[in-house]
Amino acid sequence: MSPRQTEIIFALFGVGVGSLILGVWIPQDVDTGMIETFRRQTVIGDAFLPVIAGSAILLCSVLHLLQMLTHSASPSDAFAPETLTLSSLMLQGMFLIIITLSLLLMFWAGPALSILHEEGYRTLRGQFPFKYAGFFLGGTAMLTGCIALIEGRLRARIILIAALSTLFLIALFDLPFDSIILPPNGDW
Amino acid sequence: MSVYDYIWAGVLAVFQGPEAFTFLGISVSITLIMIAFGFFAGIIGGATPGLSGPFMMAVSLPLLLSSFGFGQEALLPVFGFLVGVMKGATVGGAVPAILFNTPGTPDALLTTLDGHPMAQKGQAGKALKAAHFSSVSGDTFSDLVLFTCAPFLAVAVESYLGFPEKAALIILSLSFVAAIVGASPTKGIMAVGLGLLIASIGTGEDSYPRLSMGLDVLSNGIPLITAVLGVLILGEIFVSFEDMWHERQTKQAVRIPVQSKDNRLSWRERRALMPFIAVSAIIGTVVGALPGVGSTLAATLGYATGQKMHKGPVRFGEGTPEGIAATEAANSSVSGANLIPVLSLGIPGNVGAVFLILAADSIGGFNPGPSVFRFTTHEVNPELVIAFGLFTCMLLANLLNWTTGARFMSMLGGMVRIPKPVLMPFVLLLTLTAIYVQETQFSAILFALGFGVLGYLMRKLSVPILPFVIAYILARNLEDTIRQAFAVTDGDPLFLFQSPTSIAFIALSILVIVFFSRGRKKIDNQTGV
């Protein structure tokens, strides 16, 4: 896809988003108008700022589309998208999958470990090893996955570095501060 | 209280703040310790390719808030650390630029042009000293301009501008940032619109939280720190992941050439650098005082001007200390001047200033803007004491920089060896942890990742990030000012066009957009595309 095509798709997307904001989201989800009269007093309503914001998006998207279609401005180096290609989106998708799976592990590892205990995770979350289990496993998985994907290979050394880095973060956040709660313990 | 009493109270607030420890019976304030920690952490961050001042400020802010809490006594230690990081990162960025031809921070890119050739000639030590001397000179000059200009500007704004004029001034600032940052003013305005829209979610004066789609998670709005860290830091991390993935085949061994034994920078050589430092410091200060214009532009202008002034035997680009001086003085003098719009108008001009505003917003008790500089005589204005405390922190960080910066810089050549494929995922986990520590809800991590994806897409589509962040921060202030302006003009729909000042601000807003749009078209035509 050429830079100009990408810019045109981006502008069309902006026109669509701007229209949805102004035509659907604001009318459906804001209770007062742009200007309201209440007990003979005229005031600015809650819709004022979102309408200005949505109009800016819509108007500039239309202008950008016209610029691209009429060739009055070309997608030069300054204008053009860096390199938003399908392969870069797929790569980011892989990173996001790794991060999401690691966060799921972080969230559920502690409760899973506590299944064998009667008290439940909410009671155990302040005690070792439950306190650190989710963060350690999830953090190590996140670092290992991201480093391995960047380097294109998985080595035992990467897992060791990831585990040590996560332990360092536990030491940094948890040891000096009593009031700090590591993820995900605040949610339980 | 007189002006001098306020200045003295600010100095005392730094030196007599909460005690860290006693040394030989003398109490040492925690603020002094935090300035030093911040400064050295900033140099390390600046000297590490991939990290930068804003990165360090972003990940340290939640830790600082957890350590010092949310009382007013937390303001100066937190500001001291952030100011230290800001100044340290500015000088630290020159280390890998000179030694390894890799700028530690984007604004040190031009330092590589003369710094690295000097290192290859065995003059790395001299180049580092020239960079440090120029950087700290420019920074000190810029701070002095800040200390003298910001209070006068703030007093003028508070005395002469009413609500309609203030609303018009915020619109002018947003237009300026939208027009000047990035490649296209239309994309800049889109970014401003998006920032204002997202800031509108879950806020407003009606009992129903607007644009919340009936969801509890949106009904209190999106936390400022989560959104800003997501779009600024996580977005940058995602882009760096992709860059590293593409670059993994082109790894190069890091090597420092053999160095000459005499690497001193004599007083005569320092004197020869002074004209370049002076001109670049003025350029950097003027550029830095404009919201949204970054240190990279200042460095470029400083280098280009220095190149025209230079008549020495070694030309710019071939390894001359004057080239380093012209760049480093310009990019360093941006940091102090960037705080002029923050402290006098409440408008953040760059990413570093954004984090100072975030700190002030999170802790409370200090609202950067013209109201800070109310020199009340009958009662103490605590915000003014904090402002002079902040100035004292900046002076102390400069003093530390003058005395220890050069020595510490020369010890950090090894930072470039930290592998980026390990460093950036670590920073990702550190940022997510810092966000969770602040919000203690997993949903905050998910929001931050969502904003990270937004930041990634904006970077890839050349939609500037800074207008989005500044609009997000200023949205509440803008809406409140517009509501008040509308009320004081008895509901006049033309409230922005009632005084010559507000008409001038609005006209300037339109002119800025038109000027930069036309300028862009001209550049396109010149490049033949």
Side-chain angles (χ1 to χ4, degrees), chain B residues 119-384:
Chain B
Q120 285 179 317
K121 286 189 262 180
Q123 296 177 322
K126 192 187 281 271
L128 283 173
K129 288 185 181 92
H132 174 261
F133 179 64
S134 323
S135 178
V136 73
S137 302
D139 196 2
T140 307
F141 172 78
S142 171
D143 284 355
L144 293 175
V145 173
L146 164 73
F147 302 161
T148 42
C149 284
F152 287 108
L153 192 56
V155 169
V157 167
E158 200 62 358
S159 309
Y160 297 110
L161 303 190
F163 288 118
E165 290 84 4
K166 281 180 184 167
L169 182 61
I170 297 174
I171 292 168
L172 171 60
S173 307
L174 289 176
S175 307
F176 189 80
V177 174
I180 205 161
V181 179
S184 142
T186 48
K187 287 186 175 179
I189 300 171
M190 277 187 231
V192 166
L194 193 61
L196 294 177
L197 183 82
I198 293 176
S200 305
I201 294 172
T203 55
E205 294 202 333
D206 191 56
S207 55
Y208 174 73
R210 67 183 165 191
L211 303 176
S212 61
M213 297 187 263
L215 300 171
D216 279 347
V217 75
L218 292 178
S219 61
N220 290 321
I222 296 162
L224 190 59
I225 288 189
T226 304
V228 172
L229 293 197
V231 80
L232 274 179
I233 306 298
L234 297 186
E236 187 63 37
I237 289 172
F238 292 153
V239 172
S240 78
F241 278 0
E242 191 176 316
D243 292 344
M244 287 185 289
W245 191 80
H246 288 303
E247 288 165 6
R248 71 182 177 206
Q249 302 302 330
T250 56
K251 276 186 185 169
Q252 287 178 350
V254 172
R255 194 178 62 83
I256 304 176
V258 179
Q259 295 299 305
S260 153
K261 282 182 182 165
D262 181 24
N263 254 312
R264 286 176 303 165
L265 187 69
S266 67
W267 282 110
R268 218 183 70 185
E269 287 171 310
R270 284 173 200 259
R271 265 203 306 277
L273 296 180
M274 282 315 290
F276 296 89
I277 293 173
V279 170
S280 284
I282 293 169
I283 290 172
T285 304
V286 172
V287 169
L290 302 171
V293 189
S295 49
T296 309
L297 177 66
T300 310
L301 291 175
Y303 190 81
T305 313
Q307 201 166 18
K308 282 185 185 148
M309 290 165 60
H310 185 55
K311 291 184 175 63
V314 183
R315 287 191 299 179
F316 266 44
E318 292 177 0
T320 175
E322 285 84 350
I324 298 173
T327 310
E328 284 295 315
N331 66 25
S332 300
S333 56
V334 167
S335 68
N338 253 318
L339 296 185
I340 294 175
V342 180
L343 291 175
S344 56
L345 310 173
I347 295 164
N350 72 342
V351 180
V354 164
F355 286 106
L356 281 179
I357 286 201
L358 281 184
D361 187 68
S362 304
I363 296 170
F366 184 75
N367 296 307
S371 62
V372 166
F373 291 95
R374 277 182 291 107
F375 288 88
T376 49
T377 48
H378 298 299
E379 57 183 14
V380 179
N381 173 9
E383 287 188 296
L384 190 51

Side-chain angles (χ1 to χ4, degrees), chain A residues 17-27 50-55 58:
Chain A
V17 169
S19 307
L20 271 177
I21 292 166
L22 291 173
V24 181
W25 195 11
I26 295 173
V51 166
I52 298 289
S55 305
L58 180 61

